[in-house]
């Protein structure tokens, strides 16, 4: 692939990026500085129950299928006549009312599998088939984009998620690291020792850089997060946002949340799942707050590996299903209604007679956002970023 | 590259063991393979402590907690998680705060029990003279993960490992599988205890129903593996067969409380078909027969062999090694002592390049071993640092347990955290009885490279020298 040729004409116009794009001799448009567009992907691990995230209150079958775990109609936060949000998603609801959050209520990965681990692999690798790809689609998107712009990504947490693995080096950060004077001295020794171990060498160099950046951002916020990691979803997100808005900071961040595997005692307006949804809401709210004016150039995607069974199971929970809800938020979104079609919960519509059926491939949303928000060209999206995904066409109309 | 003789003992103590304690290399030196094999014991693994309470007692503590927060059901059911606080509208702020405070207090004994388990197990790992035996046990505990991230299984994750896993790790795989499947820890963690067949008595009269979580994870994670070709129908059928596998409640007869209890009234009647085989109606024995067939499946042998090879040798293990382990499993009818010997006897396991990157638990444990020390404070030395490094013991985020792949652990932020821990740890534990280069030699033997040796020799202080040793690539890998 030649340098710069991966920028589509549209992206070139947007960014005023003329690198190697000969048909645009003198861009007259005001240039958006490199890396100003932000993308945050929140992976909700464990199969988040879409029918509780965005209860389809107007669907005639919802209440009966769900029984005790149906979110009561008087508790939901209404989006329109048909859909609503879980009562714990108040911040996302407020964003939705101002046109800065939307839901895609029936999305799924390309294969019908019900293993968490295989499904997370597929969601993050961006592959069409299992076990084909060992790198993540966001990393491959970066490798396409990095040719023309200074763009990097940050993994938030102590582990590096598959979605960000690949040829492009990424940063990772989690609360609690603090580089002292002693460590500075030892770190130069270690840099030499790691020279013969490429994996450790790269990781260490990048880690020290990120910690230096964190240090520059000021200590208070960091200490607070470190002290109470479990209760500080909001602060955690604010800090992530600060990384994104640093000069030279990353454009992309990935946050993993877990605890969504609610096989028993799922709860409804309150309870187990509600607590985890509150976490998600806090994270989105923290990003909104921390990004400040950069929010208007941001898209946040919250996605899970698959949904849960349409019917309540025998233990007050739900088992592994198929389609679930994806949440889109951010000031860069185009105002609009739900994304994709609603398959309905009628018996005949359920997939395998048990799950909400998908009407949209997650890759279609990812591709639409990467193309229209991050400026990737369609050919790269159908090729290296989401191989063999020609039949999952990028969704139009997501970005303002 | 096959290791030279003098390299063999260094590999034995670091790759197969948990990192050398000060005198360990000399103990292993005479006969490294014999040293490892002498740790394979028909009695299973060592036990962390004789004084820790068992499942029944721990569940009694949990029941106490549940009744204090008002969710223990009248029928003595113990698998319910506590409900949320009464809605805010009905309480004043002061009442709300008091409620939260009381709930927190009620939870204390539960949390203390978990902390005791973590502490005892970590101390065993840092002190044992049979580290291969312990690593083998840790592998199986992770393979059959029960995590503390769910409150109802938190209380029994430790007893589960001591009662269901450790006694069986050098026995038949089938016995280990059955012990794990029947233990209250697993039944609570994967939601089996209250799963009922739709046509069972409980299904008909009490509107209880099926939960397929345990059935699916047994097939996918514990036995044949996700690529074994089974379908959703197989999972559902197995889940139906497993109905009835439950736990005695706290208002039931004393000899069943907190123990495995087969409840016929939950069991789905009828013949089941799983992966093409028929299992006639037979109550508890029906699922037992499926477990036996799963354990005997060549797919399980291949799945287990591959996981073992990945754990001990390399993220992308040599196919020859995987084949040897699989064959030893099949030849011996899943005798895990036999498989452990086959691992020690496999030439591919002894390549001199260290390809495994330690997990945080392995890193911290091997740090204490290198220092010839054991932690003395559960919270400050074990729970907090390991939480901060991303691997709080017994708290794997998902039922597939902790990752064994370096890509999951060698993230940039994680390495900096290891350095932070190493400098703090060295400040207290850097050995002062010997020259730092000799400490390094006693820790890594022939695996210590020239560059690290020079850097350690040139360090300004003992603390710095020990930090460099702990952070050297030779120590980070095994």
């Amino acid at each position: 692939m030649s340098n710069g040729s991966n920028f589509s004409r549209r992206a070139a116009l947007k960014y005023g990026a003329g690198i190697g794009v000969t048909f645009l001799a003198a861009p007259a448009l005001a240039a958006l500085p490199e890396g100003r567009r932000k993308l945050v992907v929140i992976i909700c691990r464990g199969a988040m129950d879409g029918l509780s995230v965005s209860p389809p209150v107007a669907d005639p079958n919802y209440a009966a299928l769900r029984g005790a775990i149906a979110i009561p109609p008087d508790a939901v936060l209404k989006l329109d006549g048909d859909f609503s949000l879980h009562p714990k998603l108040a911040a996302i609801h407020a964003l939705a009312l101002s046109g800065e959050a939307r839901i895609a209520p029936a999305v799924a990965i390309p294969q019908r599998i019900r293993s968490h681990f295989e499904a997370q692999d597929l969601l993050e690798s961006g592959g069409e088939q299992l076990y084909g790809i060992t790198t993540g689609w966001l990393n491959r998107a970066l490798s396409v984009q990095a040719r023309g712009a200074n763009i990097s990504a940050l993994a938030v947490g102590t582990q590096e998620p598959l979605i960000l693995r690949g040829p492009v080096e990424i940063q990772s950060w989690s609360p609690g690291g603090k580089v002292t004077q002693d460590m500075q001295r030892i770190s130069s020794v270690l840099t030499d020792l790691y020279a013969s171990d490429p994996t450790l060498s790269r990781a260490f160099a990048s880690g020290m850089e990120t910690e230096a950046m964190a240090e520059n951002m000021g200590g208070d916020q960091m200490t607070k997060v470190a002290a109470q990691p479990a209760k500080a979803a909001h602060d955690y997100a604010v800090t992530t946002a600060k990384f994104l808005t640093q000069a030279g900071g990353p454009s992309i961040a990935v946050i993993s949340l877990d605890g969504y595997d609610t096989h028993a005692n799922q709860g409804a307006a309150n309870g187990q799942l509600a607590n985890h949804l509150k976490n998600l809401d806090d994270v989105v709210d923290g990003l909104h707050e921390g990004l400040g004016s950069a929010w208007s150039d941001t898209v946040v995607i919250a996605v899970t590996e698959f949904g849960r069974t349409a019917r309540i199971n025998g233990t007050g929970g739900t088992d592994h299903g198929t389609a679930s809800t994806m949440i889109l938020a951010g000031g860069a979104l185009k105002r609009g209604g739900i994304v994709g079609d609603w398959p309905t919960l009628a018996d005949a519509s359920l997939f395998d007679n048990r799950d909400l059926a998908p009407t949209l491939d997650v890759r279609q949303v990812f591709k639409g956002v990467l193309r229209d928000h991050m400026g990737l060209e369609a050919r790269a999206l159908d090729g290296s970023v989401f191989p063999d995904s020609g039949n999952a066409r990028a969704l139009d109309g997501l970005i303002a | 590259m096959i290791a030279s003789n003098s390299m063999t003992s260094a590999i034995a103590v670091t790759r197969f063991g948990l990192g050398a304690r000060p005198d360990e290399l000399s103990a292993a030196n005479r006969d490294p393979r014999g040293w490892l094999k002498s740790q394979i014991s028909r009695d299973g693994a060592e036990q962390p402590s004789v004084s820790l309470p068992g499942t029944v007692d721990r569940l009694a503590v949990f029941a106490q907690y549940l009744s204090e927060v008002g969710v223990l059901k009248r029928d003595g059911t113990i698998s319910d998680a506590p409900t949320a606080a009464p809605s805010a509208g009905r309480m004043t702020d002061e009442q709300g705060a008091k409620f939260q405070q009381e709930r927190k207090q009620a939870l204390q004994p539960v949390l203390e029990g978990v902390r005791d388990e973590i502490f005892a197990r970590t101390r065993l790992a840092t002190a044992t003279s049979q580290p291969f035996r312990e690593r083998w046990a840790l592998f199986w505990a992770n393979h059959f993960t029960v995590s503390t991230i769910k409150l109802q299984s938190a209380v029994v994750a430790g007893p589960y490992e001591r009662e269901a896993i450790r006694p069986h790790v050098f026995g038949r795989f089938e016995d280990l599988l059955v012990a794990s499947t029947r233990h209250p820890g697993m039944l609570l963690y994967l939601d089996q205890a209250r799963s009922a067949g739709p046509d069972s008595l409980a299904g008909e009269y009490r509107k209880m129903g099926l939960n397929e979580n345990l059935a699916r994870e047994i097939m996918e994670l514990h036995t044949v593996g996700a690529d074994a070709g089974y379908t959703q129908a197989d999972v559902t059928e197995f889940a139906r067969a497993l109905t009835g596998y439950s736990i005695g409640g706290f208002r039931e007869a004393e000899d069943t409380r907190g123990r495995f209890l087969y409840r016929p009234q939950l069991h789905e009647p009828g013949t089941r078909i799983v992966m093409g085989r028929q299992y006639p109606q037979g109550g508890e024995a029906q699922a037992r027969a499926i477990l036996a067939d799963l354990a005997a499946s060549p797919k399980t042998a291949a799945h287990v062999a591959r996981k073992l090879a990945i754990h001990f040798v390399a993220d992308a293990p040599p196919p020859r090694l995987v084949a040897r382990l699989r064959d030893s499993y099949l030849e011996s009818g899943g005798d895990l002592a036999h498989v452990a010997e086959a691992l020690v006897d496999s030439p591919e396991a002894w390549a001199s390049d260290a390809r495994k990157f330690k997990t945080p638990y392995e890193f911290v444990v091997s740090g204490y071993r290198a220092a010839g020390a054991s932690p003395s404070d559960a919270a400050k030395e074990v729970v907090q640092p390991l939480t901060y490094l991303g691997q709080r013991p017994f708290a794997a985020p998902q039922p597939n347990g902790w990752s064994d792949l370096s890509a999951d652990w060698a993230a940039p932020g994680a390495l900096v955290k290891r350095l932070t821990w190493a400098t703090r740890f060295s400040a207290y534990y850097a050995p002062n009885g010997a020259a730092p280069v000799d400490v390094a030699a006693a820790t890594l033997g022939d695996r210590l490279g020239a560059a690290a040796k020079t850097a350690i020799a040139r360090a300004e202080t003992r603390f710095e020298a020990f930090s460099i040793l702990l952070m050297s690539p030779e120590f980070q890998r095994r």
Side-chain angles (χ1 to χ4, degrees):
Chain A
M1 280 181 281
S2 68
N3 207 16
S5 68
N6 298 299
F7 276 100
S8 66
R9 182 180 173 80
R10 185 193 160 112
L13 281 165
K14 262 189 187 164
Y15 286 101
I19 315 142
V21 185
T22 49
F23 55 82
L24 245 183
L29 295 165
L32 203 60
E34 278 178 3
R36 192 165 135 192
R37 296 250 161 177
K38 307 296 181 191
L39 174 62
V40 181
V41 178
I42 304 168
I43 304 177
C44 301
R45 297 180 193 276
M48 181 170 71
D49 182 34
L51 294 176
S52 296
V53 171
S54 52
V57 278
D59 192 300
N61 295 295
Y62 174 71
L65 282 168
R66 286 285 158 141
I69 59 164
I71 315 299
D74 58 350
V76 299
L77 305 171
K78 280 211 151 46
L79 290 173
D80 56 27
D82 297 322
F83 288 93
S84 55
L85 286 176
H86 190 279
K88 296 291 184 191
L89 299 175
I92 296 173
H93 184 247
L95 289 169
L97 295 185
S98 61
E100 294 187 339
R102 296 169 69 179
I103 56 159
V107 301
I109 53 173
Q111 296 288 322
R112 302 287 78 91
I113 39 185
R114 294 195 182 93
S115 152
H116 291 299
F117 318 109
E118 292 188 336
Q120 287 170 28
D121 281 354
L122 212 53
L123 175 71
E124 296 178 63
S125 73
E128 170 94 9
Q129 299 290 338
L130 268 172
Y131 304 121
I133 309 177
T134 55
T135 57
W137 59 266
L138 256 180
N139 192 293
R140 295 194 303 277
L142 276 170
S143 75
V144 169
Q145 221 186 13
R147 290 160 203 273
N150 178 22
I151 284 178
S152 65
L154 176 76
V156 183
T158 50
Q159 295 198 345
E160 186 172 302
L162 174 62
I163 192 173
L164 277 177
R165 283 190 209 156
V168 176
E169 239 163 83
I170 60 135
Q171 300 164 267
S172 85
W173 174 82
S174 60
K178 186 156 169 54
V179 179
T180 62
Q181 287 271 300
D182 292 4
M183 286 166 63
Q184 289 290 4
R185 206 171 48 242
I186 294 169
S187 81
S188 67
V189 175
L190 293 178
T191 303
D192 292 344
L193 288 183
Y194 292 159
S196 58
D197 191 322
T199 310
L200 299 189
S201 172
R202 272 199 304 269
F204 190 65
S206 162
M208 291 303 285
E209 246 170 63
T210 310
E211 282 306 329
M213 187 187 270
E215 203 70 5
N216 291 337
M217 283 159 43
D220 288 5
Q221 192 70 48
M222 319 289 295
T223 322
K224 199 165 148 199
V225 174
Q228 280 198 311
K231 295 185 177 113
H234 180 269
D235 294 346
Y236 201 76
V238 169
T239 306
T240 303
K242 293 211 166 133
F243 271 107
L244 292 170
T245 52
Q246 287 271 299
S251 310
I252 293 172
V254 174
I255 300 173
S256 291
L257 300 177
D258 44 40
Y260 292 94
D261 197 19
T262 47
H263 284 278
N265 304 306
Q266 176 169 323
N270 289 300
Q272 193 193 152
L273 178 60
N275 295 339
H276 288 288
L277 293 179
K278 176 74 168 74
N279 263 349
L280 172 61
D281 197 60
D282 285 347
V283 167
V284 173
D285 194 37
L287 289 169
H288 182 214
E289 181 190 315
L291 283 164
S293 62
W295 177 254
S296 61
D297 295 318
T298 298
V299 171
V300 178
I301 301 174
V303 64
T304 187
E305 68 265 31
F306 46 68
R308 310 193 68 83
T309 45
R311 293 180 191 89
I312 182 171
N313 70 9
T315 51
T318 45
D319 291 321
H320 299 184
T322 304
S324 186
T325 300
M326 180 192 283
I327 295 174
L328 296 162
L333 277 188
K334 188 170 184 172
R335 184 183 267 273
I338 71 159
V339 178
D341 296 325
W342 178 243
T344 83
L345 293 170
D347 270 1
S349 306
L350 294 182
F351 177 74
D352 273 1
N353 183 35
R354 58 181 260 154
D355 309 334
L356 179 67
T359 58
L360 198 59
D361 185 325
V362 285
R363 296 174 301 172
Q364 296 181 259
V365 183
F366 298 154
K367 285 165 87 170
V369 170
L370 287 179
R371 185 191 63 190
D372 297 342
H373 181 58
M374 302 304 280
L376 266 76
E377 143 185 285
R379 205 171 52 207
L381 289 173
D382 291 345
S384 63
V385 180
F386 293 102
D388 307 318
S389 67
N391 56 352
R393 293 179 47 194
L395 207 61
D396 295 320
L398 293 174
I399 305 301
Chain B
M1 206 198 323
I2 300 300
S4 71
N5 279 341
S6 53
M7 180 66 104
T8 312
S9 55
I11 292 173
V13 298
T14 57
R15 186 175 305 159
F16 292 85
L18 295 166
R21 281 182 64 89
D23 296 327
E24 195 164 286
L25 264 172
S26 51
N29 221 353
R30 240 167 296 131
D31 176 11
R33 287 181 178 82
W35 179 73
L36 292 172
K37 286 185 185 174
S38 72
Q39 300 175 37
I40 298 171
S41 165
R42 284 291 173 199
D43 297 336
E46 291 177 272
Q47 290 290 356
S49 164
V50 288
S51 61
L52 291 167
T55 295
V56 176
D57 292 337
R58 296 288 293 144
L59 281 173
V61 171
F62 189 52
Q64 176 65 26
Y65 161 74
L66 292 179
S67 67
E68 278 177 33
V69 299
V71 293
L72 186 64
K73 290 193 167 182
R74 210 174 294 159
D75 63 1
T77 309
I78 52 172
S79 61
D80 270 27
T83 52
S87 68
R90 283 190 272 123
M91 283 173 122
T92 64
D93 283 357
E94 200 180 320
Q95 284 171 321
K98 187 161 173 273
F99 175 86
Q100 292 298 342
Q101 186 56 35
E102 282 172 3
R103 179 162 281 186
K104 221 172 149 185
Q105 262 172 20
L107 195 57
Q108 271 315 305
V110 176
L111 298 181
E112 279 165 18
V114 173
R115 197 197 55 203
D116 292 346
E117 294 284 350
I118 293 175
F119 189 47
R121 189 177 78 164
T122 310
R123 279 178 62 87
L124 169 64
T126 57
T128 181
S129 58
Q130 302 184 69
F132 174 53
R133 191 178 174 193
E134 179 62 12
R135 176 180 285 285
W136 187 261
L138 294 172
F139 170 85
W140 290 108
N142 195 50
H143 181 80
F144 291 103
T145 287
V146 164
S147 173
T148 55
I149 61 159
K150 278 188 180 175
L151 188 58
Q152 63 266 41
S153 56
V155 69
V156 283
Y160 160 81
E161 184 180 304
R162 291 185 282 114
E163 295 162 2
I165 303 296
R166 289 182 177 268
H168 300 290
V169 295
F170 292 114
R172 291 163 69 235
F173 177 84
E174 184 186 333
D175 295 337
L176 179 57
L177 172 66
V178 169
S180 140
T181 303
R182 288 165 53 101
H183 194 279
M186 186 62 86
L187 296 171
L188 288 171
Y189 177 52
L190 293 180
D191 309 303
Q192 178 63 37
R194 290 177 58 214
S195 179
D199 295 327
S200 68
L201 282 173
E204 264 180 62
Y205 295 105
R206 295 182 56 201
K207 299 262 162 66
M208 291 172 72
L210 202 63
N211 188 310
E212 64 184 36
N213 202 11
L214 178 63
R216 179 185 303 282
E217 304 303 21
I218 287 175
M219 296 177 85
E220 177 179 337
L221 303 176
H222 303 161
T223 62
V224 292
D227 54 357
Y230 56 84
T231 63
Q232 174 61 42
D234 291 317
V235 172
T236 309
E237 279 286 273
F238 185 26
R240 288 180 183 130
L242 272 172
T243 50
Y245 278 46
S246 187
I247 308 168
F250 275 87
R251 290 188 180 84
E252 293 181 278
E254 199 171 336
D255 60 346
T256 67
R257 281 179 209 170
R259 293 181 172 85
F260 173 81
L261 178 65
Y262 175 72
R263 297 179 188 273
Q265 67 274 28
L266 297 186
H267 186 69
E268 177 72 359
T271 298
R272 306 268 77 87
I273 299 175
V274 178
M275 295 179 83
R277 285 199 199 178
Q278 279 212 2
Y279 298 90
Q281 163 63 13
E284 180 184 351
Q286 191 176 45
R288 184 68 184 71
I290 298 171
L291 289 172
D293 283 349
L294 287 172
S297 165
K299 285 173 175 150
T300 298
H303 181 214
V304 163
R306 190 174 158 71
K307 273 192 75 173
L308 278 167
I310 288 174
H311 175 84
F312 278 90
V313 179
D315 293 2
R320 187 77 200 87
L321 171 64
V322 177
R324 280 186 212 276
L325 298 177
R326 182 201 58 210
D327 293 349
S328 76
Y329 183 106
L330 290 172
E331 284 157 17
S332 66
D335 180 346
L336 298 178
H338 194 80
V339 177
E341 291 201 354
L343 174 68
V344 173
D345 285 334
S346 297
E348 298 85 1
W350 295 87
S352 59
D353 52 328
R355 282 169 286 179
K356 293 304 295 183
F357 182 71
K358 289 176 182 172
T359 64
Y361 188 73
E362 292 169 355
F363 171 54
V364 168
V365 163
S366 59
Y368 276 98
R369 293 180 68 85
S374 285
S376 55
D377 185 293
K380 287 191 190 132
E381 291 188 57
V382 180
V383 179
Q384 286 163 15
L386 281 168
T387 304
Y388 155 88
L389 291 170
Q391 198 180 23
R392 182 186 160 96
F394 296 109
Q398 302 188 85
N400 57 344
W402 298 108
S403 168
D404 249 334
L405 303 178
S406 59
D408 290 313
W409 295 111
L415 262 183
V416 175
K417 286 204 158 66
R418 289 188 185 204
L419 174 57
T420 310
W421 179 83
T423 54
R424 286 177 193 163
F425 177 72
S426 298
Y428 290 97
Y429 283 106
N432 53 15
V437 278
D438 295 335
V439 173
T443 303
L444 291 167
D446 273 13
R447 290 194 48 235
L448 179 66
K453 196 171 170 180
T454 307
I456 289 164
R458 283 186 188 159
E460 287 180 16
T461 62
R462 282 184 187 281
F463 313 118
E464 194 175 303
F466 198 56
S467 299
I468 293 170
L469 169 63
L470 298 181
M471 291 306 294
S472 67
E474 294 94 321
F475 192 86
Q476 290 294 325
R477 294 185 176 276
R478 61 178 178 90

